[in-house]
Amino acid sequence: MATNPTLAVLGFKRQLVYHLHIWAFIAVAPLVMVQWQHGNFLLSALLILFCVNAALVILFLRLRSVYFLKGRLFPILAVVCAAYSTSINGHAGLYWAYPAAIALFFLLPLKEAIVCNIIFVSVMAVVSFLQFPEADFWRITFSLGLSCLFAMIFAWLVGRLQQELTRLATTDPLTGCLNRSQLADILNSQIQLRERYERVSSLVLIDLDYFKTINDRWGHLAGDRVLKEMTIRLRKRLRESDQLFRIGGEEFMVVLPETRQKDADTLAHQLLTSISARPFLDDIKLTASASVAEVCRGETWSVWLNRADQALYDAKAKGRNQVVNAARPSNEPAHTAGPSTPASDTSAAI
């Protein structure tokens, strides 16, 4: 079971594609022989190609969990087969146009599905105009168009719902920072960059000093406002590529791609200064403690984070309001890092 909400959404899409191809294969495979026996060799060949594509998609999803050509051949072949079958078989082929049109919205991105359906409905309108009486032409065109419209609305609503659920599941509702559900995957991605391409990343842990006093003295609403304002201050110092997490009540983590420990240490001091430089909510003065850890070769994300946690504990033990660089494994060459000095001269007022 996927614990990452983003992966869960991707898993849902793969399952949808997988089952659509299975049932399409089961439904279409017998038609190959039927059309062949009726002498419709071109349509039979198209249906064979459709079945081969479906089989390949099923195989790829089973063995590698990836789409074969991202599933795009399915809707294209379905539309072509439905249009051609209608042109030679009349109403018997027309019935396949409706599931083909609806399937587009489940297999293609919404914009691509809309464009394909506009083309498909237009083609089917021309075929219907040539094949059927005028009354049937209008019925077919409008019913197919409405089916596509309803499918589009449904697909759009499902897509919006998935995006919103993913956002709610992956971000902290108070601050808008990423939450712990994304932590392992993002740290692992930085480790892979380190192992494969020697692109070193660092992380910074930040913990507000004596934050509990704010909740006790001014109330939890004031504490929430402080956390929101702190998030704003931190974001102003970060690059677009940096990722800000809230991993605990008053504990934050910044992942810094392609950043050495020395540079991360400099940024950590700047972040602490931005926290202590001016009061929160007019009269609440705060400081914070921080730790810096550069990813080392061969370590897991949990070991990397644990080194940063230990350094943060050391920063607290040494008096708070300072940055401590995490110890490196004995077999890892050290890089020059900035001194672990207080971020500012402002002492903790709380």
Side-chain angles (χ1 to χ4, degrees), residues 183-235:
L183 189 146
D185 291 306
I186 289 177
L187 292 185
N188 274 328
S189 69
Q190 300 305 314
I191 290 173
Q192 290 172 7
L193 291 175
R194 173 73 168 91
E195 297 295 330
R196 295 179 183 178
Y197 308 111
E198 295 294 331
R199 292 161 64 178
V200 177
S201 301
S202 298
L203 63 83
V204 176
L205 292 183
I206 301 172
D207 190 89
L208 288 173
D209 298 329
Y210 304 111
F211 181 75
K212 185 177 182 297
T213 308
I214 296 177
N215 290 331
D216 294 341
R217 183 175 177 183
W218 283 280
H220 286 84
L221 290 179
D224 289 347
R225 292 173 62 189
V226 167
L227 292 175
K228 289 180 181 179
E229 185 176 340
M230 175 183 165
T231 301
I232 294 172
R233 295 187 188 184
L234 294 180
R235 288 190 189 280

Side-chain angles (χ1 to χ4, degrees), residues 274-330:
S274 70
I275 294 171
S276 61
R278 65 182 191 275
F280 291 81
L281 307 183
D282 298 329
D283 59 353
I284 300 177
K285 295 182 180 180
L286 274 177
T287 61
S289 304
S291 64
V292 178
E294 178 184 308
V295 62
C296 295
R297 186 187 302 277
E299 69 179 350
T300 63
W301 71 268
S302 57
V303 172
W304 183 16
L305 182 59
N306 186 63
R307 289 195 297 112
D309 272 330
Q310 184 59 49
L312 182 61
Y313 176 82
D314 293 342
K316 293 286 188 180
K318 292 178 180 179
R320 296 179 168 82
N321 190 29
Q322 59 185 288
V323 179
V324 170
N325 287 273
R328 306 178 67 86
S330 57

